[in-house]
PDB file of all heavy atoms in Angstrom:
ATOM      1  N   GLU C   1       2.872   1.572   9.146  1.00 94.00           N
ATOM      2  CA  GLU C   1       2.035   1.180  10.274  1.00 94.00           C
ATOM      3  C   GLU C   1       1.804   2.356  11.228  1.00 94.00           C
ATOM      4  O   GLU C   1       0.748   2.438  11.866  1.00 94.00           O
ATOM      5  CB  GLU C   1       2.659  -0.003  11.012  1.00 94.00           C
ATOM      6  CG  GLU C   1       2.594  -1.299  10.201  1.00 94.00           C
ATOM      7  CD  GLU C   1       3.165  -2.502  10.936  1.00 94.00           C
ATOM      8  OE1 GLU C   1       3.744  -2.299  12.024  1.00 94.00           O
ATOM      9  OE2 GLU C   1       3.022  -3.629  10.420  1.00 94.00           O
ATOM     10  N   ALA C   2       2.766   3.268  11.337  1.00 94.00           N
ATOM     11  CA  ALA C   2       2.570   4.470  12.155  1.00 94.00           C
ATOM     12  C   ALA C   2       1.468   5.351  11.577  1.00 94.00           C
ATOM     13  O   ALA C   2       0.817   6.102  12.305  1.00 94.00           O
ATOM     14  CB  ALA C   2       3.870   5.262  12.249  1.00 94.00           C
ATOM     15  N   HIS C   3       1.241   5.232  10.262  1.00 95.00           N
ATOM     16  CA  HIS C   3       0.150   5.950   9.606  1.00 95.00           C
ATOM     17  C   HIS C   3      -1.169   5.166   9.661  1.00 95.00           C
ATOM     18  O   HIS C   3      -2.142   5.552   9.002  1.00 95.00           O
ATOM     19  CB  HIS C   3       0.498   6.204   8.133  1.00 95.00           C
ATOM     20  CG  HIS C   3       1.443   7.343   7.908  1.00 95.00           C
ATOM     21  ND1 HIS C   3       2.816   7.199   7.985  1.00 95.00           N
ATOM     22  CD2 HIS C   3       1.222   8.649   7.608  1.00 95.00           C
ATOM     23  CE1 HIS C   3       3.396   8.368   7.719  1.00 95.00           C
ATOM     24  NE2 HIS C   3       2.454   9.254   7.496  1.00 95.00           N
ATOM     25  N   SER C   4      -1.188   4.064  10.426  1.00 94.00           N
ATOM     26  CA  SER C   4      -2.348   3.169  10.521  1.00 94.00           C
ATOM     27  C   SER C   4      -2.609   2.443   9.211  1.00 94.00           C
ATOM     28  O   SER C   4      -3.744   2.049   8.919  1.00 94.00           O
ATOM     29  CB  SER C   4      -3.610   3.946  10.941  1.00 94.00           C
ATOM     30  OG  SER C   4      -3.411   4.568  12.195  1.00 94.00           O
ATOM     31  N   GLY C   5      -1.567   2.247   8.418  1.00 96.00           N
ATOM     32  CA  GLY C   5      -1.686   1.514   7.175  1.00 96.00           C
ATOM     33  C   GLY C   5      -1.049   0.142   7.244  1.00 96.00           C
ATOM     34  O   GLY C   5      -0.573  -0.289   8.298  1.00 96.00           O
ATOM     35  N   ARG C   6      -1.048  -0.553   6.111  1.00 96.00           N
ATOM     36  CA  ARG C   6      -0.433  -1.868   6.000  1.00 96.00           C
ATOM     37  C   ARG C   6       0.455  -1.881   4.768  1.00 96.00           C
ATOM     38  O   ARG C   6       0.274  -1.086   3.838  1.00 96.00           O
ATOM     39  CB  ARG C   6      -1.511  -2.960   5.898  1.00 96.00           C
ATOM     40  CG  ARG C   6      -2.407  -3.063   7.116  1.00 96.00           C
ATOM     41  CD  ARG C   6      -3.601  -3.980   6.881  1.00 96.00           C
ATOM     42  NE  ARG C   6      -3.172  -5.325   6.504  1.00 96.00           N
ATOM     43  CZ  ARG C   6      -3.535  -5.936   5.388  1.00 96.00           C
ATOM     44  NH1 ARG C   6      -4.322  -5.329   4.505  1.00 96.00           N
ATOM     45  NH2 ARG C   6      -3.118  -7.155   5.114  1.00 96.00           N
ATOM     46  N   ILE C   7       1.421  -2.803   4.756  1.00 96.00           N
ATOM     47  CA  ILE C   7       2.348  -2.897   3.637  1.00 96.00           C
ATOM     48  C   ILE C   7       2.645  -4.366   3.353  1.00 96.00           C
ATOM     49  O   ILE C   7       2.645  -5.199   4.269  1.00 96.00           O
ATOM     50  CB  ILE C   7       3.659  -2.128   3.935  1.00 96.00           C
ATOM     51  CG1 ILE C   7       4.530  -2.039   2.678  1.00 96.00           C
ATOM     52  CG2 ILE C   7       4.419  -2.753   5.093  1.00 96.00           C
ATOM     53  CD1 ILE C   7       5.705  -1.085   2.834  1.00 96.00           C
ATOM     54  N   GLY C   8       2.883  -4.689   2.103  1.00 95.00           N
ATOM     55  CA  GLY C   8       3.193  -6.065   1.733  1.00 95.00           C
ATOM     56  C   GLY C   8       3.733  -6.117   0.315  1.00 95.00           C
ATOM     57  O   GLY C   8       3.950  -5.086  -0.334  1.00 95.00           O
ATOM     58  N   VAL C   9       3.938  -7.322  -0.182  1.00 94.00           N
ATOM     59  CA  VAL C   9       4.473  -7.504  -1.523  1.00 94.00           C
ATOM     60  C   VAL C   9       3.881  -8.770  -2.135  1.00 94.00           C
ATOM     61  O   VAL C   9       3.672  -9.764  -1.445  1.00 94.00           O
ATOM     62  CB  VAL C   9       6.022  -7.581  -1.505  1.00 94.00           C
ATOM     63  CG1 VAL C   9       6.504  -8.755  -0.654  1.00 94.00           C
ATOM     64  CG2 VAL C   9       6.586  -7.675  -2.914  1.00 94.00           C
ATOM     65  N   LYS C  10       3.594  -8.704  -3.422  1.00 94.00           N
ATOM     66  CA  LYS C  10       3.192  -9.864  -4.216  1.00 94.00           C
ATOM     67  C   LYS C  10       4.255 -10.039  -5.290  1.00 94.00           C
ATOM     68  O   LYS C  10       4.645  -9.068  -5.944  1.00 94.00           O
ATOM     69  CB  LYS C  10       1.822  -9.636  -4.853  1.00 94.00           C
ATOM     70  CG  LYS C  10       0.711  -9.315  -3.861  1.00 94.00           C
ATOM     71  CD  LYS C  10      -0.575  -8.949  -4.591  1.00 94.00           C
ATOM     72  CE  LYS C  10      -1.660  -8.520  -3.622  1.00 94.00           C
ATOM     73  NZ  LYS C  10      -2.896  -8.087  -4.344  1.00 94.00           N
ATOM     74  N   SER C  11       4.714 -11.266  -5.474  1.00 93.00           N
ATOM     75  CA  SER C  11       5.809 -11.437  -6.415  1.00 93.00           C
ATOM     76  C   SER C  11       5.798 -12.828  -7.024  1.00 93.00           C
ATOM     77  O   SER C  11       5.340 -13.793  -6.406  1.00 93.00           O
ATOM     78  CB  SER C  11       7.153 -11.197  -5.718  1.00 93.00           C
ATOM     79  OG  SER C  11       8.214 -11.197  -6.644  1.00 93.00           O
ATOM     80  N   THR C  12       6.312 -12.900  -8.245  1.00 93.00           N
ATOM     81  CA  THR C  12       6.476 -14.156  -8.955  1.00 93.00           C
ATOM     82  C   THR C  12       7.893 -14.207  -9.510  1.00 93.00           C
ATOM     83  O   THR C  12       8.304 -13.278 -10.216  1.00 93.00           O
ATOM     84  CB  THR C  12       5.475 -14.286 -10.120  1.00 93.00           C
ATOM     85  OG1 THR C  12       4.144 -14.163  -9.616  1.00 93.00           O
ATOM     86  CG2 THR C  12       5.633 -15.619 -10.820  1.00 93.00           C
ATOM     87  N   PRO C  13       8.657 -15.256  -9.173  1.00 92.00           N
ATOM     88  CA  PRO C  13      10.025 -15.352  -9.695  1.00 92.00           C
ATOM     89  C   PRO C  13      10.074 -15.252 -11.218  1.00 92.00           C
ATOM     90  O   PRO C  13       9.244 -15.813 -11.920  1.00 92.00           O
ATOM     91  CB  PRO C  13      10.483 -16.735  -9.210  1.00 92.00           C
ATOM     92  CG  PRO C  13       9.663 -16.993  -7.977  1.00 92.00           C
ATOM     93  CD  PRO C  13       8.329 -16.373  -8.256  1.00 92.00           C
ATOM     94  N   ARG C  14      11.018 -14.459 -11.711  1.00 90.00           N
ATOM     95  CA  ARG C  14      11.278 -14.249 -13.141  1.00 90.00           C
ATOM     96  C   ARG C  14      10.170 -13.466 -13.843  1.00 90.00           C
ATOM     97  O   ARG C  14      10.182 -13.353 -15.063  1.00 90.00           O
ATOM     98  CB  ARG C  14      11.527 -15.576 -13.870  1.00 90.00           C
ATOM     99  CG  ARG C  14      12.739 -16.336 -13.356  1.00 90.00           C
ATOM    100  CD  ARG C  14      12.918 -17.651 -14.096  1.00 90.00           C
ATOM    101  NE  ARG C  14      11.791 -18.541 -13.876  1.00 90.00           N
ATOM    102  CZ  ARG C  14      11.627 -19.288 -12.794  1.00 90.00           C
ATOM    103  NH1 ARG C  14      12.538 -19.276 -11.830  1.00 90.00           N
ATOM    104  NH2 ARG C  14      10.562 -20.069 -12.681  1.00 90.00           N
ATOM    105  N   VAL C  15       9.226 -12.927 -13.053  1.00 93.00           N
ATOM    106  CA  VAL C  15       8.148 -12.125 -13.642  1.00 93.00           C
ATOM    107  C   VAL C  15       8.175 -10.687 -13.113  1.00 93.00           C
ATOM    108  O   VAL C  15       8.056  -9.730 -13.874  1.00 93.00           O
ATOM    109  CB  VAL C  15       6.772 -12.760 -13.366  1.00 93.00           C
ATOM    110  CG1 VAL C  15       5.650 -11.845 -13.865  1.00 93.00           C
ATOM    111  CG2 VAL C  15       6.675 -14.125 -14.034  1.00 93.00           C
ATOM    112  N   GLY C  16       8.334 -10.534 -11.809  1.00 94.00           N
ATOM    113  CA  GLY C  16       8.375  -9.206 -11.219  1.00 94.00           C
ATOM    114  C   GLY C  16       7.719  -9.166  -9.855  1.00 94.00           C
ATOM    115  O   GLY C  16       7.245 -10.174  -9.336  1.00 94.00           O
ATOM    116  N   SER C  17       7.697  -7.980  -9.269  1.00 95.00           N
ATOM    117  CA  SER C  17       7.146  -7.792  -7.933  1.00 95.00           C
ATOM    118  C   SER C  17       6.196  -6.602  -7.911  1.00 95.00           C
ATOM    119  O   SER C  17       6.341  -5.655  -8.694  1.00 95.00           O
ATOM    120  CB  SER C  17       8.269  -7.551  -6.912  1.00 95.00           C
ATOM    121  OG  SER C  17       9.174  -8.637  -6.872  1.00 95.00           O
ATOM    122  N   GLN C  18       5.236  -6.664  -7.011  1.00 96.00           N
ATOM    123  CA  GLN C  18       4.328  -5.546  -6.779  1.00 96.00           C
ATOM    124  C   GLN C  18       4.282  -5.264  -5.279  1.00 96.00           C
ATOM    125  O   GLN C  18       3.758  -6.040  -4.496  1.00 96.00           O
ATOM    126  CB  GLN C  18       2.928  -5.844  -7.286  1.00 96.00           C
ATOM    127  CG  GLN C  18       1.972  -4.668  -7.122  1.00 96.00           C
ATOM    128  CD  GLN C  18       0.546  -4.987  -7.514  1.00 96.00           C
ATOM    129  OE1 GLN C  18      -0.200  -5.593  -6.744  1.00 96.00           O
ATOM    130  NE2 GLN C  18       0.150  -4.580  -8.721  1.00 96.00           N
ATOM    131  N   PHE C  19       4.873  -4.148  -4.893  1.00 96.00           N
ATOM    132  CA  PHE C  19       4.823  -3.710  -3.505  1.00 96.00           C
ATOM    133  C   PHE C  19       3.551  -2.886  -3.322  1.00 96.00           C
ATOM    134  O   PHE C  19       3.205  -2.058  -4.167  1.00 96.00           O
ATOM    135  CB  PHE C  19       6.046  -2.863  -3.168  1.00 96.00           C
ATOM    136  CG  PHE C  19       7.334  -3.645  -3.161  1.00 96.00           C
ATOM    137  CD1 PHE C  19       8.042  -3.843  -4.337  1.00 96.00           C
ATOM    138  CD2 PHE C  19       7.825  -4.195  -1.991  1.00 96.00           C
ATOM    139  CE1 PHE C  19       9.214  -4.579  -4.345  1.00 96.00           C
ATOM    140  CE2 PHE C  19       8.997  -4.927  -1.988  1.00 96.00           C
ATOM    141  CZ  PHE C  19       9.690  -5.119  -3.160  1.00 96.00           C
ATOM    142  N   TRP C  20       2.851  -3.110  -2.224  1.00 97.00           N
ATOM    143  CA  TRP C  20       1.616  -2.380  -1.967  1.00 97.00           C
ATOM    144  C   TRP C  20       1.606  -1.854  -0.532  1.00 97.00           C
ATOM    145  O   TRP C  20       2.213  -2.436   0.361  1.00 97.00           O
ATOM    146  CB  TRP C  20       0.385  -3.273  -2.204  1.00 97.00           C
ATOM    147  CG  TRP C  20       0.317  -4.479  -1.299  1.00 97.00           C
ATOM    148  CD1 TRP C  20       0.814  -5.730  -1.541  1.00 97.00           C
ATOM    149  CD2 TRP C  20      -0.247  -4.531   0.028  1.00 97.00           C
ATOM    150  NE1 TRP C  20       0.581  -6.554  -0.476  1.00 97.00           N
ATOM    151  CE2 TRP C  20      -0.068  -5.846   0.496  1.00 97.00           C
ATOM    152  CE3 TRP C  20      -0.880  -3.591   0.836  1.00 97.00           C
ATOM    153  CZ2 TRP C  20      -0.502  -6.236   1.766  1.00 97.00           C
ATOM    154  CZ3 TRP C  20      -1.323  -3.980   2.102  1.00 97.00           C
ATOM    155  CH2 TRP C  20      -1.133  -5.289   2.548  1.00 97.00           C
ATOM    156  N   PHE C  21       0.948  -0.740  -0.342  1.00 97.00           N
ATOM    157  CA  PHE C  21       0.764  -0.203   1.004  1.00 97.00           C
ATOM    158  C   PHE C  21      -0.457   0.699   1.008  1.00 97.00           C
ATOM    159  O   PHE C  21      -0.896   1.204  -0.040  1.00 97.00           O
ATOM    160  CB  PHE C  21       2.006   0.556   1.488  1.00 97.00           C
ATOM    161  CG  PHE C  21       2.459   1.665   0.591  1.00 97.00           C
ATOM    162  CD1 PHE C  21       1.993   2.965   0.755  1.00 97.00           C
ATOM    163  CD2 PHE C  21       3.376   1.420  -0.421  1.00 97.00           C
ATOM    164  CE1 PHE C  21       2.413   3.988  -0.072  1.00 97.00           C
ATOM    165  CE2 PHE C  21       3.821   2.431  -1.251  1.00 97.00           C
ATOM    166  CZ  PHE C  21       3.338   3.728  -1.079  1.00 97.00           C
ATOM    167  N   THR C  22      -1.032   0.878   2.191  1.00 97.00           N
ATOM    168  CA  THR C  22      -2.226   1.700   2.331  1.00 97.00           C
ATOM    169  C   THR C  22      -1.938   2.911   3.210  1.00 97.00           C
ATOM    170  O   THR C  22      -1.120   2.848   4.136  1.00 97.00           O
ATOM    171  CB  THR C  22      -3.384   0.889   2.951  1.00 97.00           C
ATOM    172  OG1 THR C  22      -2.996   0.385   4.244  1.00 97.00           O
ATOM    173  CG2 THR C  22      -3.759  -0.277   2.051  1.00 97.00           C
ATOM    174  N   LEU C  23      -2.621   4.004   2.904  1.00 97.00           N
ATOM    175  CA  LEU C  23      -2.475   5.252   3.655  1.00 97.00           C
ATOM    176  C   LEU C  23      -3.864   5.842   3.889  1.00 97.00           C
ATOM    177  O   LEU C  23      -4.749   5.737   3.025  1.00 97.00           O
ATOM    178  CB  LEU C  23      -1.620   6.251   2.873  1.00 97.00           C
ATOM    179  CG  LEU C  23      -0.145   5.872   2.684  1.00 97.00           C
ATOM    180  CD1 LEU C  23       0.483   6.727   1.600  1.00 97.00           C
ATOM    181  CD2 LEU C  23       0.605   6.028   4.004  1.00 97.00           C
ATOM    182  N   PRO C  24      -4.066   6.492   5.037  1.00 96.00           N
ATOM    183  CA  PRO C  24      -5.397   7.032   5.342  1.00 96.00           C
ATOM    184  C   PRO C  24      -5.711   8.270   4.505  1.00 96.00           C
ATOM    185  O   PRO C  24      -4.840   9.107   4.243  1.00 96.00           O
ATOM    186  CB  PRO C  24      -5.295   7.376   6.830  1.00 96.00           C
ATOM    187  CG  PRO C  24      -3.841   7.655   7.046  1.00 96.00           C
ATOM    188  CD  PRO C  24      -3.107   6.701   6.140  1.00 96.00           C
ATOM    189  N   LEU C  25      -6.967   8.372   4.086  1.00 95.00           N
ATOM    190  CA  LEU C  25      -7.419   9.561   3.381  1.00 95.00           C
ATOM    191  C   LEU C  25      -7.638  10.694   4.371  1.00 95.00           C
ATOM    192  O   LEU C  25      -7.986  10.473   5.536  1.00 95.00           O
ATOM    193  CB  LEU C  25      -8.715   9.272   2.634  1.00 95.00           C
ATOM    194  CG  LEU C  25      -8.662   8.210   1.526  1.00 95.00           C
ATOM    195  CD1 LEU C  25     -10.059   7.967   0.981  1.00 95.00           C
ATOM    196  CD2 LEU C  25      -7.715   8.615   0.410  1.00 95.00           C
ATOM    197  N   ALA C  26      -7.427  11.915   3.914  1.00 93.00           N
ATOM    198  CA  ALA C  26      -7.757  13.080   4.734  1.00 93.00           C
ATOM    199  C   ALA C  26      -9.272  13.175   4.859  1.00 93.00           C
ATOM    200  O   ALA C  26      -9.999  12.881   3.916  1.00 93.00           O
ATOM    201  CB  ALA C  26      -7.179  14.347   4.108  1.00 93.00           C
ATOM    202  N   HIS C  27      -9.740  13.604   5.999  1.00 72.00           N
ATOM    203  CA  HIS C  27     -11.181  13.622   6.238  1.00 72.00           C
ATOM    204  C   HIS C  27     -11.863  14.821   5.602  1.00 72.00           C
ATOM    205  O   HIS C  27     -13.048  14.784   5.297  1.00 72.00           O
ATOM    206  CB  HIS C  27     -11.460  13.626   7.745  1.00 72.00           C
ATOM    207  CG  HIS C  27     -11.025  12.361   8.430  1.00 72.00           C
ATOM    208  ND1 HIS C  27     -11.538  11.128   8.109  1.00 72.00           N
ATOM    209  CD2 HIS C  27     -10.111  12.148   9.408  1.00 72.00           C
ATOM    210  CE1 HIS C  27     -10.970  10.201   8.863  1.00 72.00           C
ATOM    211  NE2 HIS C  27     -10.104  10.788   9.650  1.00 72.00           N
ATOM    212  N   GLN C  28     -11.121  15.925   5.400  1.00 51.00           N
ATOM    213  CA  GLN C  28     -11.726  17.120   4.837  1.00 51.00           C
ATOM    214  C   GLN C  28     -12.045  16.926   3.365  1.00 51.00           C
ATOM    215  O   GLN C  28     -11.496  16.058   2.706  1.00 51.00           O
ATOM    216  CB  GLN C  28     -10.792  18.325   4.998  1.00 51.00           C
ATOM    217  CG  GLN C  28     -10.447  18.642   6.447  1.00 51.00           C
ATOM    218  CD  GLN C  28      -9.184  17.933   6.892  1.00 51.00           C
ATOM    219  OE1 GLN C  28      -8.833  16.898   6.339  1.00 51.00           O
ATOM    220  NE2 GLN C  28      -8.513  18.492   7.866  1.00 51.00           N
ATOM    221  N   ASN C  29     -12.941  17.762   2.887  1.00 48.00           N
ATOM    222  CA  ASN C  29     -13.277  17.740   1.466  1.00 48.00           C
ATOM    223  C   ASN C  29     -12.058  18.150   0.656  1.00 48.00           C
ATOM    224  O   ASN C  29     -11.522  19.235   0.817  1.00 48.00           O
ATOM    225  CB  ASN C  29     -14.430  18.714   1.187  1.00 48.00           C
ATOM    226  CG  ASN C  29     -14.891  18.641  -0.265  1.00 48.00           C
ATOM    227  OD1 ASN C  29     -14.200  19.077  -1.172  1.00 48.00           O
ATOM    228  ND2 ASN C  29     -16.083  18.094  -0.450  1.00 48.00           N
ATOM    229  N   TYR C  30     -11.584  17.261  -0.211  1.00 47.00           N
ATOM    230  CA  TYR C  30     -10.298  17.495  -0.866  1.00 47.00           C
ATOM    231  C   TYR C  30     -10.351  18.661  -1.848  1.00 47.00           C
ATOM    232  O   TYR C  30      -9.335  19.302  -2.101  1.00 47.00           O
ATOM    233  CB  TYR C  30      -9.801  16.221  -1.549  1.00 47.00           C
ATOM    234  CG  TYR C  30     -10.497  15.842  -2.830  1.00 47.00           C
ATOM    235  CD1 TYR C  30     -10.021  16.269  -4.058  1.00 47.00           C
ATOM    236  CD2 TYR C  30     -11.612  15.020  -2.813  1.00 47.00           C
ATOM    237  CE1 TYR C  30     -10.654  15.895  -5.235  1.00 47.00           C
ATOM    238  CE2 TYR C  30     -12.242  14.645  -3.989  1.00 47.00           C
ATOM    239  CZ  TYR C  30     -11.752  15.081  -5.195  1.00 47.00           C
ATOM    240  OH  TYR C  30     -12.378  14.716  -6.345  1.00 47.00           O
TER     241      TYR C  30
END
């Protein structure tokens, strides 16, 4: 959140979990 992103998790018991988060792209031409 300090990076202006978000974080969360999607999960199903006995199947697995997927953690996700967002990060800002650099504005300069990469």
Side-chain angles (χ1 to χ4, degrees):
E1 290 182 352
H3 282 85
S4 301
R6 297 170 58 237
I7 189 170
V9 60
K10 303 174 185 177
S11 187
T12 303
R14 298 179 297 280
V15 174
S17 301
Q18 183 185 80
F19 292 86
W20 62 268
F21 56 91
T22 59
L23 293 165
L25 297 175
H27 294 299
Q28 300 91 335
N29 185 289
Y30 75 92

